[in-house]
Amino acid sequence: MSRRLAHFSAWIPLSLLLCLGCANPTLISRPVHQDLSWFVRLDSYQDANSASARYQHPVRVTDEELTALLSRLLLEDRAGLMDSPRPPRPVFTIDEISLLVPGLAEAFRQATPQEWISFYFSPPGETTLAVTSGGLFIKDDAIHVVLANHRLSLSQEATELSRIRANPFYSVKGSGGALAFEASRFVTGRQANWTGGHQASASELILDHRAFFS
């Protein structure tokens, strides 16, 4: 009996270490622009590797460049084998782009190599909100655009709402499609992004922004 107890006790520290390793890393946020229904901010992880550079920030991206970029982002529906394909739709409206661009441009100028840009907005409604969230960052000479939620209908009391505001990469039901770009020749990759958690994956689009902006 004592041998079994000793064997069990020896596994306790290891189990604790494994649990700690599986815990979600802590986010640190710096607001750039914010209001009751929207924000643009800088997020980073508080972990042992925070001193190492991850992104090519800070960087100057003009309002005109960001407007051109966001206005060409599209969302393609994920259709089944028996479904008729539907044309891709714009991710943002003109008003949404005008709202986000000044904050995004300022965020890119302020960002450190450890920070990425996050955004969230939900036009106010009487009982439900249409939530859109995601982020951007520049890495390996490419700009990455992440869309976690797109016009997601949530009640103002939904617990998922606070999770999205805490981490805009947290996706409740997926982005509603795959990100695409109007000028496909600038797309260098597309992938699922699970950094917001394991509820659902966000859609990540990778663009050769240097070629596009030039």
Side-chain angles (χ1 to χ4, degrees):
M1 198 67 182
S2 59
R3 289 184 180 179
R4 291 182 180 179
L5 182 60
H7 180 74
F8 176 76
S9 300
W11 277 94
I12 292 177
L14 179 59
S15 301
L16 289 174
L17 287 174
L18 290 174
C19 290
L20 288 173
C22 294
N24 290 328
T26 303
L27 278 182
I28 301 174
S29 300
R30 287 201 295 140
V32 177
H33 285 246
Q34 62 181 356
D35 204 336
L36 292 176
S37 61
W38 71 279
F39 63 74
V40 173
R41 74 186 191 202
L42 294 167
D43 286 342
S44 61
Y45 287 129
Q46 183 184 19
D47 59 19
N49 297 320
S50 60
S52 60
R54 291 185 176 92
Y55 311 114
Q56 292 166 288
H57 305 156
V59 64
R60 183 178 182 274
V61 185
T62 67
D63 288 11
E64 292 77 17
E65 289 170 336
L66 283 168
T67 299
L69 178 74
L70 297 185
S71 63
R72 287 165 174 79
L73 287 174
L74 303 171
L75 197 60
E76 295 179 342
D77 290 318
R78 294 186 175 95
L81 293 176
M82 304 301 293
D83 297 330
S84 300
R86 288 185 290 181
R89 58 193 187 278
V91 173
F92 301 110
T93 66
I94 295 175
D95 290 340
E96 290 167 349
I97 293 172
S98 299
L99 178 74
L100 290 174
V101 159
L104 294 177
E106 180 62 27
F108 272 116
R109 287 192 290 268
Q110 290 187 20
T112 69
Q114 292 79 40
E115 294 176 315
W116 63 92
I117 293 92
S118 293
F119 63 81
Y120 164 97
F121 60 87
S122 56
E126 293 183 2
T127 57
T128 61
L129 302 174
V131 176
T132 298
S133 71
L136 303 94
F137 56 88
I138 296 176
K139 182 179 181 180
D140 299 329
D141 294 321
I143 190 164
H144 297 240
V145 184
V146 178
L147 186 67
N149 303 283
H150 187 251
R151 310 199 198 292
L152 174 68
S153 180
L154 288 175
S155 71
Q156 299 190 31
E157 293 78 26
T159 57
E160 301 288 4
L161 191 61
S162 60
R163 293 184 180 181
I164 297 171
R165 292 183 67 93
N167 184 356
F169 280 21
Y170 175 82
S171 183
V172 178
K173 298 180 180 178
S175 58
L179 277 176
F181 202 64
E182 187 178 296
S184 59
R185 66 184 181 277
F186 298 112
V187 176
T188 61
R190 294 198 293 184
Q191 60 191 23
N193 185 305
W194 292 93
T195 57
H198 299 287
Q199 178 77 10
S201 68
S203 179
E204 182 173 334
L205 183 71
I206 307 170
L207 297 168
D208 184 350
H209 69 293
R210 293 180 186 272
F212 174 69
F213 292 154
S214 65

